[in-house]
Amino acid sequence: MAYDSNNIFARILRGEAPCHRVYEDTATLAFLDVMPQSDGHTLVLPKAAAENLFELDDEAAAAVMRTGKRVALALREAFRPDGLTVMQFNGADAGQTVFHFHLHLVPRYAGQPLRSHGRGMADGALLAEQAARLRTLLGS
Ligand code: AMP
């Protein structure tokens, strides 16, 4: 399937749609998931167009993991979770709903099951406050 340059993450990357930005560098962007499965649920994207892992070039793969680690450390400091789950889906049959490669960084809290995937919008003001806190920790 050809990359759809109008997918929502491509539009966010072009600045045509808003996001709660957490971190950005020349190769990657990280922002809060608007339907978080737990508090602090963050998405990390390469800026280069790639629908999924199969299409991701090595340079973008390395950049995304570098940013993922950096953001994970900030999430640990900001939210004090008991653990962190990293998820990544390839293809609709694997659960992918937005067709621009992304890592999910999902903080985990003891005794708290994950909320449903991609359902239930979070409060915008709360996300804005959380993103600001993470940007401060990341110097971003
Ligand atoms: P996936 O199923 O891996 O493709 O996940 C897509 C994720 O993007 C879901 O967790 C959605 O909650 C999230 N999402 C969809 N639209 C937006 C948006 N505009 N801003 C932030 N997160 C989004």
Side-chain angles (χ1 to χ4, degrees):
M1 192 164 76
Y3 179 82
D4 170 14
S5 57
N6 275 323
N7 75 71
I8 182 63
F9 292 172
R11 296 184 54 230
I12 288 172
L13 285 165
R14 288 197 296 270
E16 295 169 5
C19 73
H20 294 285
R21 184 175 55 80
V22 163
Y23 177 82
E24 181 167 16
D25 61 22
T26 54
T28 64
L29 176 68
F31 52 83
L32 293 179
D33 197 303
V34 284
M35 292 172 266
Q37 289 188 257
S38 73
D39 290 350
H41 183 167
T42 302
L43 305 173
V44 183
L45 285 59
K47 289 188 172 177
E51 187 175 315
N52 53 41
L53 184 62
F54 306 116
E55 294 180 2
L56 195 65
D57 68 35
D58 288 354
E59 208 177 314
V64 162
M65 192 48 84
R66 241 190 332 265
T67 295
K69 181 187 167 186
R70 209 164 166 162
V71 173
L73 290 167
L75 287 170
R76 188 174 65 171
E77 200 168 334
F79 291 90
R80 305 271 169 211
D82 300 296
L84 179 92
T85 299
V86 179
M87 298 187 289
Q88 194 273 311
F89 306 111
N90 300 283
D93 290 319
Q96 187 175 7
T97 58
V98 179
F99 296 94
H100 180 108
F101 179 93
H102 51 282
L103 291 183
H104 293 259
L105 303 180
V106 187
R108 302 301 300 269
Y109 306 93
Q112 283 185 28
L114 288 185
R115 301 194 281 266
S116 299
H117 179 63
R119 292 199 206 138
M121 290 286 280
D123 175 64
L126 176 64
L127 292 181
E129 180 272 315
Q130 291 171 339
R133 207 147 37 98
L134 289 164
R135 282 198 303 276
T136 300
L137 283 170
L138 286 157
S140 173

